Amino acid sequence: MFTIITGAQFGDEGKGKIVDLLAKDYDIVARFQGGNNAGHTVKVEDKVYKLHLIPSGILLEARALIGPGVVLDPGVLLEEMEMLRANGVVVSPEKLGIDAKTSIIMPYHIELDGLREAARAKKIGTTKRGIGFAYIDKVAREELRLADLADEARFLTRLEELASQKESEISALGGDPALVRDSALIKKYLQFGKKLAPYITDVSREINEALDAGKNVMAEAAQGTHLDVIHGTQKFVTSSSTIAGSACANLGVGPTRVKNVVAIVKAYITRVGEGPLPTELSGELGARLQKAGGEFGTTTGRGRRCGWFDLPLLKKAIALNGYTEIALTKLDVLSELEPVRICVGYRYKGETINYPPELTEALAECEPVYEELPGWKADLSKVQSFEELPANAQNYVKRLEELMGVPIRYISVGPGRAQTFKKEEAL
Ligand code: GDP
Ligand code: IMO
Ligand code: MG
């Protein structure tokens, strides 16, 4: 069985938590795109793990794989491996595999990301982790792969080929090009390569062989649908394709293998960085959601912008991903709000529309049209079944399900593993 899990909004939907929850039924969990711009939080009893690169399945029995479509900061990965070990999690080459072709994020990518963002009149609000520039080099065929990092001679030759070009790019943006050939940094990276060499694998082959053997494989996305580099709200997007089809392309698995595609959907919406968010709540209500939901970036600590549930954007996410089921997260955060609103359409150029306009500039002009539902004044954090939810919370979930037309299979009411239940009767 091959399952793909993606975020249906702008990231931080709770992918880490839900992947950890479902991973017990999978033999392999593989990350297929993005880099350490991602921050996936998994709470296990009183421990909180913030994972940036390693798939959340690492905390269970599953083998964790990092696919060749990921851009990899080796220093960040090694720190993450150490953090897990310090918490008693086994991180051996039997448990973790990284594809030989994974592009390495070099210090010059991070430098260029920071310089470019500073120079932009209209910012994107990137995480400044070098993600975009590592992907530029991948498609320009100027990348350094993990296999190169692990082979000293090949690494040094390749770096020499690329160095003058990188120096001029940094100089052109007013930066100091010295870091490109900095011998201490090069030494450090060669050490990283030695440490990561035992983990190198062929991810596509491993997954296809596992599927042939009847095993279960899950693909874990980073970011969210509307941050997709092709179909998202350009230019306010990340530099990789975050939607379900990208899992097949990036992991090297044929689309005929896919059994189900799970959406992680937050009961409201958040966004970090710039770009339109039609239902954004400024003022007291926005601050209240941000506080109740702990909406501060896992990677950068920035406050996440919060808004009401946006159905047009969700409809588009369903179209882009072909979801077969939904995990609804953070329902507990809406407790105490009266009323609760769902954006069911937009007013755009005097008309009401129910699907987002294609261009970002047009989306930025859309005014939300709301449907109001009565709220519930109850703590949901200990609820264990759909029937235990207050009637108004049940009605909110049922209404969302009806509007989305895709069954909600899981409901999450807190960050902990136990704070999740299955919603048995679907549509
Ligand atoms: P990801 O990037 O999609 O994995 O999401 P993040 O981990 O960046 O952000 C989700 C945050 O919400 C984390 O702090 C989670 O621990 C937390 N979380 C996940 N599900 C729930 C939930 O149902 N209720 C509450 N209150 N918090 C949740
Ligand atoms: P997870 O996996 C939320 C956003 C950044 C910025 C834009 C581009 O935790 O859901 P980048 O550094 O990727 O070039 O920045 O994308 N962004 C995220 N927002 N969650 C994420 O990951 C994100 N990864 C990138 O804030 O707006
Ligand atoms: Mg996150």
Side-chain angles (χ1 to χ4, degrees):
M1 177 168 75
F2 184 46
T3 300
I4 302 171
I5 297 202
T6 70
Q9 292 150 324
F10 289 99
D12 305 322
E13 297 91 349
K15 296 176 291 293
K17 171 181 164 158
I18 301 296
V19 169
D20 168 75
L21 190 83
L22 302 181
K24 65 178 184 341
D25 297 326
Y26 289 81
D27 302 285
I28 291 177
V29 179
R31 254 292 288 279
F32 63 89
Q33 43 69 233
N36 58 309
N37 46 351
H40 299 174
T41 316
V42 184
K43 187 163 182 274
V44 184
E45 280 139 30
D46 53 353
K47 280 187 187 165
V48 176
Y49 299 92
K50 292 178 187 247
L51 299 169
H52 300 286
L53 280 162
I54 300 180
S56 309
I58 190 86
L59 299 175
L60 292 151
E61 296 306 308
R63 175 157 165 79
L65 295 178
I66 296 178
V70 167
V71 286
L72 185 84
D73 185 322
V76 172
L77 176 62
L78 285 160
E79 270 173 31
E80 202 163 296
M81 290 160 73
E82 279 316 311
M83 178 277 287
L84 288 169
R85 285 191 188 115
N87 283 284
V89 180
V90 176
V91 190
S92 59
E94 286 69 45
K95 192 80 169 78
L96 174 69
I98 314 158
D99 197 273
K101 287 180 167 178
T102 309
S103 289
I104 298 301
I105 299 180
M106 294 293 290
Y108 49 78
H109 293 130
I110 301 169
E111 183 70 8
L112 285 164
D113 193 357
L115 289 168
R116 184 71 193 94
E117 184 68 3
R120 275 190 187 105
K122 201 167 168 46
K123 312 265 180 234
I124 294 175
T126 77
T127 58
K128 300 192 183 153
R129 299 299 193 265
I131 307 296
F133 283 84
Y135 277 117
I136 289 173
D137 277 358
K138 190 181 205 42
V139 292
R141 294 148 296 178
E142 288 180 352
E143 86 277 28
L144 279 150
R145 305 160 306 171
L146 178 58
D148 302 325
L149 189 68
D151 178 324
E152 180 165 344
R154 205 156 59 191
F155 179 77
L156 293 175
T157 310
R158 186 75 173 129
L159 188 59
E160 194 45 44
E161 274 170 27
L162 301 169
S164 55
Q165 170 68 19
K166 296 298 142 200
E167 284 166 346
S168 10
E169 286 172 23
I170 292 177
S171 299
L173 284 167
D176 178 2
L179 63 76
V180 177
R181 294 177 207 250
D182 182 299
S183 57
L185 272 177
I186 293 173
K187 212 166 139 197
K188 192 161 104 177
Y189 270 62
L190 286 169
Q191 287 297 324
F192 291 159
K194 282 206 176 75
K195 287 187 181 159
L196 293 175
Y199 296 86
I200 293 178
T201 189
D202 178 340
V203 164
S204 167
R205 183 171 178 176
E206 262 204 51
I207 294 181
N208 279 289
E209 286 178 358
L211 292 171
D212 287 343
K215 293 187 176 168
N216 293 340
V217 179
M218 184 200 291
E220 174 181 342
Q223 288 81 52
T225 292
H226 299 295
L227 292 176
D228 182 277
V229 68
I230 299 170
H231 299 283
T233 54
Q234 286 160 323
K235 68 176 188 183
F236 309 101
V237 291
T238 192
S239 296
S240 63
S241 177
T242 57
I243 58 178
S246 157
C248 291
N250 277 304
L251 294 174
V253 182
T256 47
R257 300 277 207 172
V258 181
K259 170 87 187 330
N260 45 357
V261 185
V262 183
I264 315 297
V265 176
K266 207 180 274 198
Y268 49 99
I269 199 165
T270 61
R271 176 164 206 165
V272 198
E274 304 303 316
L277 185 65
T279 63
E280 182 164 9
L281 292 163
S282 47
E284 199 261 327
L285 207 47
R288 198 164 139 185
L289 268 183
Q290 194 182 60
K291 186 155 177 267
E295 298 295 359
F296 295 90
T298 311
T299 300
T300 57
R302 289 178 291 175
R304 296 174 183 152
R305 300 152 62 197
C306 298
W308 294 114
F309 189 93
D310 187 321
L311 182 69
L313 283 176
L314 219 293
K315 286 261 184 208
K316 181 164 177 170
I318 292 168
L320 293 175
N321 289 277
Y323 290 131
T324 56
E325 59 211 85
I326 289 172
L328 185 72
T329 61
K330 305 193 93 161
L331 184 62
D332 54 300
V333 176
L334 296 180
S335 292
E336 309 294 331
L337 296 176
E338 188 61 56
V340 180
R341 294 197 170 94
I342 300 173
C343 164
V344 289
Y346 302 137
R347 288 293 292 168
Y348 176 64
K349 295 203 182 298
E351 307 218 338
T352 303
I353 54 174
N354 58 17
Y355 196 85
E358 192 177 7
L359 296 184
T360 309
E361 297 84 334
L363 184 67
E365 285 179 39
C366 287
E367 295 288 333
V369 176
Y370 288 116
E371 182 175 297
E372 290 189 355
L373 277 81
W376 54 91
K377 294 200 183 323
D379 173 12
L380 305 188
S381 63
K382 297 199 171 56
V383 171
Q384 288 293 299
S385 71
F386 187 70
E387 292 66 35
E388 274 177 56
L389 284 173
N392 287 348
Q394 288 190 15
N395 289 338
Y396 180 71
V397 173
K398 282 192 204 150
R399 184 66 183 136
L400 288 185
E401 193 171 51
E402 182 180 51
L403 289 166
M404 291 188 286
V406 178
I408 294 176
R409 290 237 190 277
Y410 306 93
I411 297 177
S412 171
V413 289
R417 267 185 188 161
Q419 292 171 300
T420 325
F421 50 87
K422 276 192 180 168
K423 176 179 174 299
E424 294 303 350
E425 17 80 66
L427 281 185

